[in-house]
Amino acid sequence: MAKKKVVERVFPLVKMSREKRNKNLFENPKDDEVYNFTVPDYVSDNLKHQLRNYQAEALFNLNWTQLDDQADTLYNQLLFNMATGSGKTDLMAAIMLYMYGEFDYQEFLFVANSNAVVSKTKENFLNESSIKYLLQGPITIAGQRILIKGVDRFPLHPEKGTIYLRLATIQTLANELGSYRENGLTYEDLAKRKLVILADEAHHYNVSTKKERADEASWESVLDKVREANTDNRQFEFTATIDVDKAAVYEKYKNKIIYKYELNRFMSDGYSKRVRRLESNQNDQEKMMNAVLLSQFRKRIAKKNGIEDFKPVILFKSNKIKDSLQARDTFLEMMKNLTATDLENFIQERMIETKSETLSKTYEYWNGQDYAQTVAELKRDFQALTTINVNDKGKSNILDDAADFQNLNTLENPNNPLRTIFAVAKLTEGWDVLNLYDIVRLGEKVSSVNETNQEAQLIGRGARYYPFVYHGKSSYTRRFDNDHEGTRWLLETLFYHTINNPVYLERLHKSLNTMNLLSESDDLGDYDIYTATVKPEFKRTAFYRNGNLYQNKLKPVPDENYNSIGKYDINGSEITIDMNSSTREANLNDEASKPVATEERTAAFFALESDQRLIKKAIARESFFRFATLKQYIPTLESMDQFLHDSNWLGNLRVKAVVAYNAPTLTIEQRCNAVQRALAWIKKQLIKNYKKQRGTSEFSPIPVHDVIVDYQKQVAKNPTGNHGTLIEPHDMTSEKWYAYDYAINDRLEQSLIGMIKSFINDTNLKERYDKVYLLRIEERLGKFKLYNYRREAELHYEAYMPDFILCVGEGTVSYQIFIEPKGIQLVEQDKWKEEFLENLDPDKITILGEDQNVKLLGVKFYTNDRDGHRDIYHTEKELREKLNVQEKGVILK
């Protein structure tokens, strides 16, 4: 490899033995002793998005190989096998910065199989004004300004501080290198420079390997020749699918797969939408109407929860272009002629016959609304202006047409009106849509195996997570998995509407399983109902009959506390509105989170007299901002004038708009719109944060027999995905310390139970205490809740339900220890819960109605990592230590 630049080393220098170096890279090459990896600042500071844990792991693995003395021969071609939607392009951006910062690579060649992927990647890397741009400007490394420049041919003398990027389809590259043309690339030219090839959708480049012959004209051999032209060259490949079942492909990649992050893991980690299948025998028009009602129900749910600009999109998919064109005409005619009577009859009939859990909720909701108003709303949202047919050109990919590309890759933008797309299944690579929520398969034809494979890939693309703003924050992982009784989970669920044909479904399920795509049926009949029953022997214990658990009492937050805008978690000096992106709305004052190539403009300053007319205009558009209404949420407020001009309220507020760099001056309407959006966010915060009760350090008894009751859990019978997060019943009848006959748990929860079993046996708890019980607190029952009372997290007033309580007792002394298993992807966002548990101090808690021999404790989250390592935060060790400390304290007394 070329000489390394002299820069401060951020990655750990790892010395590997030859044995480890040559190990099969299907396993991640992490070394536990040195795995203290931190993404370098010059990578993280220059990316728009913070790298997720698995992306950082992939970058660490790359570093592990490139520091090897034999990297030029052993690790000059590597493959990242990562799920669709997992952010491979973000990782490519990080790799470009890394290879430049660590090894001074300036020239990068990006290749893909389709124009759509190339066009999308140009937006990602070169168009600074695009909301799809992935870097954060200005780019600086080691104090030097870095320019990323798109080129057709690499310069003879590269300028310092410049990264040169050539983007091309593999077809274009092969043609260009195969026949000389002026200013075109040549193998001779490429041999003179060190180059990094970024090969996207790499499964397309294994044609000759699959055929087990070396065809010099093949794309695969073209890339081989480019890579081998210079010993410093690197080829990093990216794909979600690699056909290692074929012997030749396996032999080629068995030591080249540097990182695997498959779809089932991506989905179970919460980075995607959930996927449900609606399998019915309804005709196409009925399926269309179901999709419309479900989509609009989802939009209403978002509005109810204060989620602005939420626009769920439907894709109607046909097998032939003429069928798709006819389906669009049928759909528009159906919506145009829809009447209130038609809709009422449709819903009333379907309410009786449907077996779908989701459609039952949807019909029930719309049956409670005004039918005439509903029809008017549906006609407004689903009409010709909000519909696109992307089959008119007859291209091989729906993104090949420039206008279609622009429309389909900006669907999240609130200024893009599209709600419905009609297409044939020709999709796909390069389509990064996030707000697709319904895919409706039209036509009764049973698909071939190849077609169901395409359908499964389409579902995988549609499952990309939409990071909508909720409570002022975006998230890139699901937030409502536990919203079982509510409807917010619909905002994070993709539905595939299809025919209920046994042959077709068998093929589709096989295709989904091949991809490891997790999905489940929405049919109420396709679920197993598991029951967990409290053991009779546990019911006979004194602890069950007369014992108590303890949850803390609540107290209201006094009205006088609401004496400033800050008490509602609102920054009273500045609110920033992103006028470019629909996924970020207000109060986004962190400079690191803004898109690049933008600037802030003041839309309105509440202290400025000349802005008062504009502010009053925006206020007048929202009836919430009337004194009588505001007084309900701001009890200390004396007048509207005080709200708008007092320094404790909005008197010093400056509303800023983030716009494209050098954009035209904001119009009056744009400024007014920015103030409106700021006020909409203020409204949400005022409603959300008023009249909340908070926990206290006083814990009152609640009988054990009121909390520990029989319960049932509904689990899908036929989920797809071979290695998904399974919920299964586990027989616990022989474990006397477990209160239920069955533990109905996922793998992480069952791992925790296994740890507790080991802990009980290793510490001889059953010999030291006269009672040892592990209680499962079933969340859906809602019978036991804790509330935060620590000042450091006073905004977290919501209820918290720990999954397990370990109860141990010695004579008159008993301990109740709250324990929570937590998936590694949720640890950070639920950090306040962990801090609350760890800071439960028996000496600072008052137990009401009992003596002080009841001790309440909590321990850190029990977490396993994605590679199967258990208890990575050493919860068992902390459990042991805390219990020992408490025992010594009792003895001293």
Side-chain angles (χ1 to χ4, degrees):
M1 178 181 287
K3 184 178 180 181
K4 188 184 184 303
K5 290 178 69 175
V6 180
V7 295
E8 180 181 355
R9 179 174 298 282
V10 185
F11 292 89
L13 180 58
V14 184
K15 296 294 185 181
M16 295 291 173
S17 66
R18 178 168 297 276
E19 178 184 0
K20 183 157 191 175
R21 182 193 300 128
N22 292 330
K23 69 181 288 190
N24 189 322
L25 289 184
F26 275 112
E27 300 178 23
N28 298 338
K30 290 192 296 189
D31 187 321
D32 292 337
E33 294 181 1
V34 297
Y35 195 67
N36 57 348
F37 166 66
T38 301
V39 175
D41 289 343
Y42 69 78
V43 173
S44 55
D45 290 349
N46 290 309
L47 291 179
K48 180 178 178 181
H49 303 131
Q50 180 181 348
L51 289 182
R52 299 168 183 172
N53 289 339
Y54 61 85
Q55 292 167 329
E57 288 177 4
L59 192 59
F60 170 79
N61 288 4
L62 176 64
N63 175 71
W64 178 86
T65 63
Q66 298 308 296
L67 291 180
D68 193 282
D69 294 338
Q70 300 185 57
D72 287 346
T73 54
L74 290 177
Y75 302 126
N76 63 348
Q77 182 184 10
L78 298 170
L79 175 74
F80 295 85
N81 181 198
M82 300 175 69
T84 296
S86 61
K88 295 190 294 292
T89 318
D90 279 303
L91 180 59
M92 286 184 207
I95 288 173
M96 281 201 303
L97 296 171
Y98 162 73
M99 294 301 289
Y100 176 88
E102 293 288 311
F103 304 110
D104 204 21
Y105 280 83
Q106 288 187 255
E107 293 160 333
F108 294 80
L109 173 62
F110 174 90
V111 292
N113 182 47
S114 72
N115 287 317
V117 176
V118 172
S119 298
K120 184 253 317 184
T121 309
K122 283 181 180 177
E123 295 287 296
N124 295 150
F125 291 155
L126 298 177
N127 185 0
E128 296 184 11
S129 64
S130 171
I131 63 172
K132 302 287 187 178
Y133 189 60
L134 298 179
L135 294 148
Q136 183 85 4
I139 300 170
T140 58
I141 296 178
Q144 182 184 21
R145 178 77 176 268
I146 306 300
L147 174 68
I148 298 182
K149 186 176 181 180
V151 294
D152 291 326
R153 185 169 184 174
F154 297 113
L156 187 61
H157 301 290
E159 297 179 6
K160 291 184 178 180
T162 303
I163 292 174
Y164 297 95
L165 178 62
R166 169 72 195 273
L167 300 102
T169 63
I170 187 64
Q171 300 93 323
T172 298
L173 181 68
N175 292 337
E176 193 171 329
L177 290 171
S179 59
Y180 176 81
R181 66 180 179 83
E182 190 175 0
N183 295 323
L185 289 178
T186 66
Y187 288 115
E188 292 75 15
D189 178 50
L190 293 177
K192 299 173 185 177
R193 58 191 72 248
K194 63 175 188 176
L195 182 71
V196 175
I197 304 168
L198 300 172
D200 200 10
E201 307 296 349
H203 51 280
H204 292 295
Y205 313 137
N206 292 296
V207 177
S208 63
T209 292
K210 291 177 184 177
K211 294 180 179 178
E212 300 184 1
R213 63 181 176 82
D215 180 356
E216 288 298 314
S218 75
W219 300 338
E220 184 176 15
S221 65
V222 168
L223 294 181
D224 289 344
K225 286 183 69 173
V226 173
R227 183 183 71 254
E228 293 165 1
N230 189 316
T231 56
D232 285 331
N233 285 357
R234 297 289 183 267
Q235 181 173 326
F236 301 141
E237 303 177 20
F238 303 82
T239 184
T241 55
I242 185 70
D243 194 4
V244 292
D245 288 339
K246 295 195 177 294
V249 177
Y250 173 80
E251 286 301 318
K252 174 181 176 180
Y253 282 109
K254 67 180 180 180
N255 291 317
K256 293 182 174 67
I257 298 181
I258 184 65
Y259 193 74
K260 288 181 72 71
Y261 190 69
E262 295 179 295
L263 186 59
N264 66 304
R265 180 172 155 195
F266 177 67
M267 298 183 77
S268 62
D269 283 351
Y271 288 110
S272 74
K273 303 185 188 83
R274 288 194 176 280
V275 176
R276 281 198 173 188
R277 307 184 307 274
L278 280 168
E279 301 158 354
S280 75
N281 291 317
Q282 294 176 325
N283 62 42
D284 285 351
Q285 288 195 50
E286 291 173 322
K287 285 194 285 188
M288 287 176 174
M289 182 57 67
N290 281 335
V292 165
L293 292 172
L294 176 54
S295 183
Q296 203 68 4
F297 180 35
R298 192 182 281 111
K299 184 177 178 182
R300 287 277 191 98
I301 294 167
K303 185 175 183 180
K304 178 182 177 182
N305 285 276
I307 301 169
E308 303 294 329
D309 297 327
F310 189 93
K311 187 188 62 170
V313 170
I314 305 170
L315 172 66
F316 293 109
K317 187 190 74 62
S318 302
N319 285 321
K320 296 181 179 179
I321 291 177
K322 67 174 184 178
D323 295 336
S324 184
L325 295 172
Q326 180 60 52
R328 177 182 182 272
D329 293 341
T330 300
F331 175 77
L332 292 177
E333 188 72 15
M334 178 183 75
M335 297 309 299
K336 179 182 177 181
N337 296 328
L338 184 65
T339 67
T341 301
D342 292 337
L343 184 62
E344 183 174 10
N345 291 338
F346 178 87
I347 289 176
Q348 294 287 349
E349 291 173 8
R350 300 311 179 283
M351 286 179 69
I352 298 172
E353 65 186 34
T354 187
K355 295 181 180 179
S356 162
E357 175 189 8
T358 302
L359 290 181
S360 292
K361 291 183 177 181
T362 303
Y363 298 147
E364 182 180 345
Y365 172 80
W366 290 116
N367 191 49
Q369 307 300 306
D370 182 277
Y371 276 105
Q373 290 182 5
T374 298
V375 168
E377 180 180 325
L378 295 179
K379 287 187 173 184
R380 182 179 66 247
D381 277 24
F382 298 94
Q383 55 169 305
L385 290 176
T386 64
T387 299
I388 185 172
N389 187 297
V390 290
N391 299 296
D392 299 341
K393 319 296 186 301
K395 302 276 185 170
S396 61
N397 187 298
I398 70 170
L399 297 180
D400 282 348
D401 181 80
D404 290 346
F405 176 86
Q406 181 64 22
N407 283 323
L408 295 176
N409 264 345
T410 59
L411 283 172
E412 301 94 339
N413 194 316
N415 295 322
N416 181 325
L418 295 179
R419 289 290 301 277
T420 52
I421 302 165
F422 286 81
V424 171
K426 289 180 178 177
L427 209 58
T428 30
E429 292 164 358
W431 195 31
D432 290 341
V433 64
L434 303 178
N435 57 334
L436 177 62
Y437 280 91
D438 293 278
I439 301 174
V440 184
R441 183 194 186 279
L442 301 178
E444 298 302 311
K445 175 178 174 288
V446 174
S447 301
S448 66
V449 173
N450 184 54
E451 288 170 333
T452 57
N453 287 342
Q454 293 177 358
E455 290 177 37
Q457 291 168 6
L458 174 60
I459 296 170
R461 291 203 165 269
R464 291 171 185 262
Y465 187 76
Y466 180 36
F468 52 85
V469 177
Y470 177 67
H471 286 176
K473 296 180 181 179
S474 292
S475 172
Y476 291 89
T477 55
R478 295 191 300 271
R479 290 175 272 196
F480 305 125
D481 280 358
N482 294 321
D483 184 31
H484 304 293
E485 303 302 327
T487 54
R488 292 176 300 176
W489 60 272
L490 284 170
L491 306 180
E492 298 178 331
T493 304
L494 170 76
F495 283 84
Y496 188 59
H497 308 239
T498 187
I499 59 174
N500 188 16
N501 179 287
V503 175
Y504 166 76
L505 291 178
E506 181 180 356
R507 290 176 181 173
L508 177 63
H509 292 180
K510 184 176 180 180
S511 296
L512 295 171
N513 281 322
T514 299
M515 284 183 62
N516 261 335
L517 193 155
L518 310 181
S519 72
E520 59 185 34
S521 172
D522 195 64
D523 191 331
L524 287 171
D526 280 347
Y527 288 85
D528 286 317
I529 305 296
Y530 296 131
T531 300
T533 304
V534 183
K535 293 176 180 175
E537 57 267 34
F538 180 67
K539 286 185 175 182
R540 291 193 291 267
T541 64
F543 179 58
Y544 177 81
R545 295 197 310 270
N546 306 313
N548 295 310
L549 301 175
Y550 298 90
Q551 62 183 15
N552 52 337
K553 297 181 65 176
L554 295 171
K555 67 177 181 181
V557 179
D559 282 351
E560 55 266 26
N561 275 30
Y562 298 98
N563 56 8
S564 72
I565 200 72
K567 295 299 179 68
Y568 297 84
D569 198 22
I570 299 171
N571 181 348
S573 60
E574 182 178 303
I575 292 178
T576 303
I577 303 297
D578 188 346
M579 302 293 281
N580 283 329
S581 171
S582 65
T583 61
R584 295 166 59 247
E585 180 188 353
N587 207 36
L588 303 177
N589 299 313
D590 183 359
E591 291 289 328
S593 68
K594 292 188 305 181
V596 295
T598 61
E599 59 183 340
E600 290 183 354
R601 307 264 183 87
T602 296
F605 184 30
F606 277 60
L608 197 62
E609 182 62 33
S610 59
D611 283 348
Q612 295 308 304
R613 183 176 180 183
L614 175 73
I615 292 168
K616 288 180 180 178
K617 181 179 180 181
I619 287 280
R621 292 179 178 179
E622 175 53 76
S623 60
F624 177 84
F625 291 99
R626 305 289 186 269
F627 179 72
T629 303
L630 276 178
K631 184 70 174 176
Q632 298 175 34
Y633 298 95
I634 310 176
T636 61
L637 191 66
E638 297 178 357
S639 66
M640 281 300 297
D641 185 71
Q642 180 190 22
F643 180 68
L644 295 175
H645 301 121
D646 192 286
S647 60
N648 284 331
W649 299 97
L650 303 186
N652 293 325
L653 177 63
R654 189 182 299 271
V655 177
K656 291 186 174 182
V658 177
V659 297
Y661 185 72
N662 285 335
T665 302
L666 289 172
T667 65
I668 293 295
E669 186 57 34
Q670 286 173 324
R671 293 171 60 200
C672 189
N673 179 261
V675 176
Q676 273 187 269
R677 291 176 63 181
L679 289 170
W681 186 79
I682 290 170
K683 170 186 171 181
K684 287 192 299 183
Q685 293 298 95
L686 292 175
I687 294 172
K688 178 174 74 117
N689 292 310
Y690 174 62
K691 271 296 182 187
K692 294 292 185 181
Q693 292 183 305
R694 62 170 301 154
T696 70
S697 59
E698 294 184 336
F699 283 69
S700 58
I702 174 172
V704 173
H705 56 73
D706 284 352
V707 177
I708 306 303
V709 297
D710 299 347
Y711 68 90
Q712 292 184 327
K713 184 164 285 189
Q714 178 178 291
V715 180
K717 278 184 182 178
N718 58 342
T720 60
N722 295 332
H723 306 292
T725 301
L726 298 176
I727 296 177
E728 299 176 314
H730 302 270
D731 189 350
M732 300 296 290
T733 52
S734 63
E735 308 296 346
K736 295 182 179 180
W737 44 269
Y738 195 76
Y740 289 97
D741 58 354
Y742 280 89
I744 308 171
N745 297 319
D746 61 26
R747 292 171 179 171
L748 177 61
E749 293 166 332
Q750 196 60 26
S751 176
L752 170 61
I753 291 176
M755 182 273 282
I756 294 296
K757 178 179 180 179
S758 174
F759 173 74
I760 291 174
N761 293 332
D762 289 350
T763 57
N764 298 314
L765 245 64
K766 289 180 287 188
E767 296 179 5
R768 290 155 52 195
Y769 297 95
D770 55 19
K771 62 174 183 284
V772 177
Y773 304 116
L774 182 64
L775 310 181
R776 167 70 189 212
I777 306 300
E778 177 55 32
E779 185 176 50
R780 296 186 68 171
L781 298 177
K783 291 179 174 291
F784 184 87
K785 301 175 182 179
L786 299 177
Y787 296 86
N788 192 26
Y789 59 87
R790 300 173 61 240
R791 288 190 177 182
E792 302 92 296
E794 62 180 3
L795 293 177
H796 293 290
Y797 294 125
E798 60 264 40
Y800 170 44
M801 289 166 273
D803 286 342
F804 294 94
I805 305 177
L806 178 63
C807 301
V808 298
E810 179 185 25
T812 59
V813 180
S814 63
Y815 305 96
Q816 296 185 4
I817 307 162
F818 303 113
I819 308 174
E820 174 84 356
K822 186 69 62 177
I824 195 169
Q825 77 279 3
L826 299 174
V827 168
E828 193 57 37
Q829 75 177 49
D830 284 347
K831 196 68 177 176
W832 72 270
K833 298 178 182 178
E834 184 175 53
E835 291 171 351
F836 168 71
L837 289 179
E838 284 201 281
N839 284 278
L840 277 175
D841 187 342
D843 293 331
K844 297 178 181 178
I845 291 174
T846 302
I847 302 294
L848 301 177
E850 297 283 340
D851 63 30
Q852 295 305 301
N853 284 332
V854 177
K855 308 289 183 180
L856 305 184
L857 301 169
V859 292
K860 66 183 66 174
F861 291 151
Y862 176 85
T863 302
N864 298 337
D865 74 7
R866 298 181 181 92
D867 295 323
H869 298 118
R870 295 180 51 185
D871 197 11
I872 60 176
Y873 298 133
H874 308 294
T875 307
E876 181 179 357
K877 180 181 178 183
E878 184 182 9
L879 175 61
R880 191 185 307 274
E881 290 173 350
K882 283 198 170 185
L883 197 53
N884 287 340
V885 167
Q886 290 299 318
E887 290 173 349
K888 292 175 183 177
V890 171
I891 292 171
L892 290 174
K893 292 180 181 180

